[in-house]
Amino acid sequence: MGAVDIVIIAAYMILMLVLGIYAGKKQKNTEDYFLAGKNADVFSVACLWLSSWIGGASIVGTAERAFDMGVTAVWYVLIIAVSLVIFALSFIRMIKRLSERFDLTTYPDFIEQRYDSRTRLVASICTILGMTGFVASQFLAGGAILSALTGWNAKTSLIIVAVVITFYTAFGGLLAVTYTDWFQTLILLVGIVVLGVPACYAKLDGGLQAFQALPEGYFDLGSWGWLSIAGLGVSTLFSFYTNMDNYTRCIAAKDEKVSMKGAMIAAAGIFFVAVSATFLGMCAKIIVPEATGANALAYLIVDIFPSGLRGILLIGIIAAIMSSADICMLTASTSLAKDVYRRYIRPQVSDQELQKVTIGCSFAIGVIAVLITLNSQNIIDVLFIALTINSAGLFLPTVFGMFWEKANSHAAFLSTLCSLLAILFWFAGGTMGWGGVFRMDPLWPGVLISAVLFFPLSIWKEQTPEEKQKVRDFMKQ
């Protein structure tokens, strides 16, 4: 990389820190810190949606898989776009109305309002673990791409990315995330879609006919394996209903219409990113066949872009990584501070002290995420287990709790707790090479155990009069 490219990257990192400091000074209270004042417009909401779900795994991971397997790589990001539309049509208005009626600000708030504090605690643990995994996957992607393009040591690159994201997120809160995500979303779309795709097309000899040189399997949509695609689809869709940051976006919007429009605009943007990232990975197989899947995108950028323009495309990728990591880090630290510290340890904590605790939690999450990256180098694997922890056991109690009056707190608590324990046990067995059934994705036993416990216990266990009244209040439109 040229000096101009390095200057562009350094300037971008500094700008993110400045925006974080600026946002921190503008905050008046914890509502500004956690929810950006509940005043986000359509553009801000769309940027928050797109930037959170389109990160390192989406760009770098999809391009890597497209380089290795072809068009089947499109499924990872395409599934996100479809899941967002389904979630928006079925849940967004409900979340916004319930948040205003009961003054709810986090996903575990919703769980406790519907069930009880025990289930809330399990939901908080799942949220913190899952979001920390998301942060780790973004750190891993950011460190890899920065190292590949600059030649810097991989650990040094990872730490640089982690430090910048942690600092501006910790001190700026959701207001900083909103400010930085405006910029990062535009850079992402310009770098990947507007500049990246046309430049790759121009580099292909014979245009699209150059793809005929690829192996035949590269045009098989199912070559990833339909069971794996189904597992990814289920875990992603489920996560939309159980990810706390999805609830945060709905609550932060000015009103229901703003929240819905923002989600739909983001889904369209995600679709274009899905196609573009897959196209770039397949182009890399033709243009830089000497590369490997892990560094294919980096090699492609170096090969087709001149100095200066190369730096712009690079910060587009880094923007995708950072914008996903920041909202996940804020979600994890918010849950740790509000759903654990304030709810169970210090209920009378002041707003000022709570914000300081959240800042400390952000730094702790950043450190833990870095430690996770030292034990795993596969971006999508880390992301997949994070999605599974955050969704498999919580999906049924969350969705059915909104519509089914018989769903009770006893069933919700036991099903979520046992499902989480099963997922962690299954993941440990697969990691340690136990073989047999432990080769199965942890998602499936997690969902099965949740269903086996949740439905029978909801039917057989009678609700108390107090719980029945609580349910009626919750479901009242």
Side-chain angles (χ1 to χ4, degrees):
M1 285 218 326
V4 175
D5 300 315
I6 294 177
V7 169
I8 290 174
I9 296 169
Y12 170 75
M13 297 285 192
I14 293 170
L15 176 62
M16 294 300 100
L17 290 172
V18 170
L19 285 173
I21 295 170
Y22 173 72
K25 290 182 176 180
K26 284 199 68 175
Q27 293 165 164
K28 298 182 179 69
N29 49 47
T30 54
E31 186 172 285
D32 285 342
Y33 188 89
F34 294 124
L35 298 170
K38 294 185 180 180
N39 200 38
D41 56 21
V42 172
F43 179 69
S44 297
V45 172
C47 289
L48 286 169
W49 274 113
L50 200 149
S51 59
S52 175
W53 282 93
I54 301 301
S58 304
I59 305 298
V60 181
T62 298
E64 174 185 341
R65 190 134 300 189
F67 182 92
D68 291 332
M69 303 179 69
V71 72
T72 191
V74 77
W75 282 113
Y76 173 67
V77 182
L78 191 61
I79 284 169
I80 294 174
V82 173
S83 298
L84 175 53
V85 172
I86 295 172
F87 174 79
L89 294 174
S90 62
F91 242 54
I92 279 183
R93 288 189 176 91
M94 192 180 306
I95 290 171
K96 187 65 175 172
R97 290 171 188 172
L98 287 170
S99 71
E100 292 175 353
R101 190 195 310 163
F102 296 109
D103 192 26
L104 310 177
T105 59
T106 68
Y107 168 67
D109 280 345
F110 283 81
I111 292 298
E112 182 171 20
Q113 188 65 40
R114 176 59 178 84
Y115 296 112
D116 58 13
S117 61
R118 299 177 305 165
T119 314
R120 176 197 182 104
L121 181 58
V122 179
S124 300
I125 293 170
C126 290
T127 294
I128 294 164
L129 290 177
M131 289 297 133
T132 303
F134 286 138
V135 174
S137 71
Q138 305 310 320
F139 283 0
L140 193 60
I145 198 73
L146 190 61
S147 174
L149 289 171
T150 61
W152 299 339
N153 177 272
K155 289 185 179 180
T156 301
S157 298
L158 187 148
I159 290 171
I160 289 172
V161 171
V163 167
V164 171
I165 293 171
T166 302
F167 266 86
Y168 81 71
T169 303
F171 289 109
L174 189 63
L175 204 57
V177 170
T178 301
Y179 289 161
T180 56
D181 283 358
W182 291 344
F183 181 74
Q184 289 170 164
T185 299
L186 291 175
I187 290 293
L188 162 65
L189 294 176
V190 169
I192 300 299
V193 180
V194 179
L195 296 178
V197 171
C200 284
Y201 180 80
K203 191 75 173 179
L204 295 173
D205 291 332
L208 294 179
Q209 291 184 350
F211 283 101
Q212 294 177 0
L214 293 173
E216 185 177 345
Y218 271 58
F219 300 96
D220 180 3
L221 276 170
S223 62
W224 188 344
W226 287 113
L227 189 60
S228 295
I229 294 169
L232 184 62
V234 170
S235 63
T236 302
L237 179 61
F238 282 12
S239 285
F240 267 89
Y241 291 87
T242 58
N243 265 13
M244 189 170 110
D245 56 324
N246 294 344
Y247 287 68
T248 301
R249 284 182 207 87
C250 299
I251 300 169
K254 286 181 180 179
D255 53 46
E256 294 175 27
K257 290 182 179 179
V258 167
S259 187
M260 179 66 73
K261 288 180 181 178
M264 292 303 179
I265 292 171
I270 292 170
F271 171 79
F272 284 111
V273 171
V275 175
S276 299
T278 304
F279 181 77
L280 293 180
M282 295 177 71
C283 285
K285 187 69 175 179
I286 299 169
I287 299 170
V288 284
E290 69 277 10
T292 64
N295 60 26
L297 195 55
Y299 272 56
L300 184 67
I301 293 171
V302 171
D303 186 85
I304 68 175
F305 285 98
S307 182
L309 199 57
R310 185 187 304 153
I312 294 174
L313 186 63
L314 172 60
I315 64 172
I317 297 170
I318 294 178
I321 293 164
M322 294 176 72
S323 59
S324 285
D326 58 21
I327 189 64
C328 293
M329 177 176 289
L330 182 62
T331 299
S333 59
T334 299
S335 187
L336 192 55
K338 296 187 72 174
D339 298 318
V340 178
Y341 182 78
R342 187 175 68 177
R343 179 64 181 82
Y344 298 101
I345 299 174
R346 190 173 168 80
Q348 303 304 318
V349 62
S350 66
D351 274 10
Q352 187 176 12
E353 183 183 345
L354 183 64
Q355 189 168 330
K356 289 179 181 179
V357 170
T358 308
I359 291 172
C361 291
S362 293
F363 282 104
I365 296 297
V367 171
I368 294 170
V370 169
L371 294 176
I372 291 173
T373 64
L374 299 179
N375 294 307
S376 177
Q377 296 299 309
N378 189 296
I379 299 169
I380 290 185
D381 283 353
V382 173
L383 190 68
F384 190 53
I385 187 61
L387 282 169
T388 300
I389 289 173
N390 202 50
S391 64
L394 293 170
F395 176 76
L396 294 176
T398 299
V399 173
F400 281 88
M402 293 289 187
F403 305 103
W404 190 31
E405 289 191 11
K406 288 189 68 66
N408 61 61
S409 57
H410 185 70
F413 170 68
L414 286 179
S415 64
T416 53
L417 176 62
C418 293
S419 177
L420 173 61
L421 294 176
I423 290 166
L424 295 176
F425 178 69
W426 225 269
F427 177 68
T431 302
M432 290 186 281
W434 292 352
V437 294
F438 291 98
R439 293 192 182 95
M440 181 191 307
D441 291 328
L443 169 73
W444 304 115
V447 172
L448 179 62
I449 288 174
S450 176
V452 166
L453 291 174
F454 179 71
F455 291 115
L457 288 175
S458 291
I459 294 170
W460 297 334
K461 178 73 173 178
E462 183 69 23
Q463 294 173 330
T464 64
E466 292 78 14
E467 186 172 7
K468 288 180 180 179
Q469 183 59 50
K470 185 177 182 180
V471 172
R472 283 194 292 269
D473 293 340
F474 185 85
M475 292 187 171
K476 184 168 55 179
Q477 296 299 317

